[in-house]
Every structure is written in C-alpha cells, then in structure tokens.
Amino acid sequence: PHLQPVSFKELGTTGGNGKKADGMSGFGEKVATYYNVPLAKETQDQIFKLCRAYGIDEKIVLAMCWRESLFRADAVGDNGHSFGLMQIQKRYHGERMERLGVDNLLDPVQNVTVGIDFIAELYGKYGDIEKALVCYNCGEYGAKQNFFNRGVYSSQYSRAVIEYTNSLEVCE
C-alpha cells in the first residue's frame, strides 16, 4: 500500500498538555470506542486518528505501546537512547521527526506520530504486519540477518504484540 506521511502539525494533534499544535486548546475528533489500557482517552483519540490516516490497526499500536514501554510516556530505555510510548530512538529517526514536525519524544502524541509513521512504512514495504513488527523491533538489517534469511518471519516480540492485540478489551 502507498502511504502518505502525515505531519504532526497537519493533524492538529495535541501534546500531553491538551494544547493543539496550532496553539488552540482541545483535542481532535472523538472516537466511539476506547480500550481498557492506561492511556488517556485523548491520547487514544490521537492514536486512532493517526492509525486511520496511515491505514494501521490501532490495536497493533496499542499493543506496541504495551510491549515497548508498558504504556509509560516517560519511559527511557536502551541506555538512554529510546524514548516514550513506542521507544523511539532519535539517532535513527531524526529525519523522520523533522519531516513530521516532532521535537519531543516524551510527549505521547508526538512519540506515537513517529512510531506509527515508521510501522506504516515497514508494513507498506513488507506487506505483512509480523514482518513489519520484527523490523520495528530489531531493525531491517537485524531482521534479515537473524530471521528472514533463515525463513523465520516472526519473533518473540511480534508474537507478543499480536497476542496482546487479541486480548485488548473495550471499556464499558
């Protein structure tokens, strides 16, 4: 699938402070269904909005947030190199961040903007969500060397994300 990048500012997205990128207060359109995860409804709204724009299943992204950070927007991993809900590394995604208008990976909406753009790119390239998840987790080179070249197209990471996706429950 051909996917167009969606700028953080173009979406009128909001940060953790509830301010839209254009300085106006309030959040984007509200969705009808929320999942029983420890994320604010406003953050879920923005994840759903981005996922719709990119054609990615929001449950995959929620499961990635669980696996990467246990839904902690302030998570810092990989010896201080990975940040936020989707554990984005600026050293690998600096150009992507600039293109998307993102400058704060600890802001949950900005973080998922980069993560969703990246997983959508990988999905578009590989056409298979498990392959895309393997690449997201260990890089394309690592995925090819350690998995794909051996005829293996899933990993513990991708299986955990899929399993969690299937266990997500809608809030009452």
Side-chain angles (χ1 to χ4, degrees):
H2 186 267
L3 303 168
Q4 293 294 324
V6 178
S7 164
F8 172 70
K9 291 179 177 137
E10 287 173 337
L11 281 172
T13 55
T14 59
N17 63 2
K19 299 282 185 184
K20 287 174 68 170
D22 63 7
M24 303 294 287
S25 64
F27 286 91
E29 64 189 73
K30 188 173 181 174
V31 296
T33 302
Y34 296 102
Y35 292 91
N36 190 17
V37 297
L39 290 176
K41 289 181 179 180
E42 293 85 0
T43 302
Q44 289 191 52
D45 284 342
Q46 294 300 333
I47 289 172
F48 302 155
K49 187 176 183 180
L50 287 163
C51 286
R52 282 193 302 273
Y54 281 98
I56 297 295
D57 182 346
E58 69 268 6
K59 292 188 293 184
I60 291 289
V61 172
L62 291 172
M64 291 172 72
C65 291
W66 162 76
R67 184 63 176 86
E68 292 288 341
S69 67
L70 295 175
F71 298 107
R72 288 187 44 229
D74 64 346
V76 177
D78 296 318
N79 297 315
H81 295 288
S82 298
F83 296 94
L85 290 171
M86 297 187 78
Q87 290 294 280
I88 304 297
Q89 293 193 21
K90 186 175 183 176
R91 62 182 170 176
Y92 298 125
H93 298 286
E95 289 180 19
R96 183 183 310 273
M97 290 171 62
E98 187 174 322
R99 174 174 47 82
L100 296 169
V102 168
D103 62 8
N104 181 2
L105 291 174
L106 293 176
D107 177 281
V109 173
Q110 291 189 45
N111 185 278
V112 298
T113 298
V114 176
I116 292 168
D117 184 78
F118 184 42
I119 193 66
E121 177 184 301
L122 293 169
Y123 180 65
K125 185 173 185 176
Y126 292 95
D128 180 279
I129 196 62
E130 277 209 77
K131 288 180 185 176
L133 287 166
V134 173
C135 291
Y136 185 96
N137 182 242
C138 59
E140 288 186 85
Y141 179 81
K144 289 175 184 173
Q145 291 299 310
N146 299 312
F147 296 93
F148 303 165
N149 287 347
R150 298 184 337 203
V152 177
Y153 302 101
S154 69
S155 65
Q156 183 178 10
Y157 175 86
S158 69
R159 290 186 298 273
V161 168
I162 299 296
E163 184 177 329
Y164 190 85
T165 297
N166 294 329
S167 73
L168 282 169
E169 296 179 6
V170 174
C171 290
E172 294 294 326

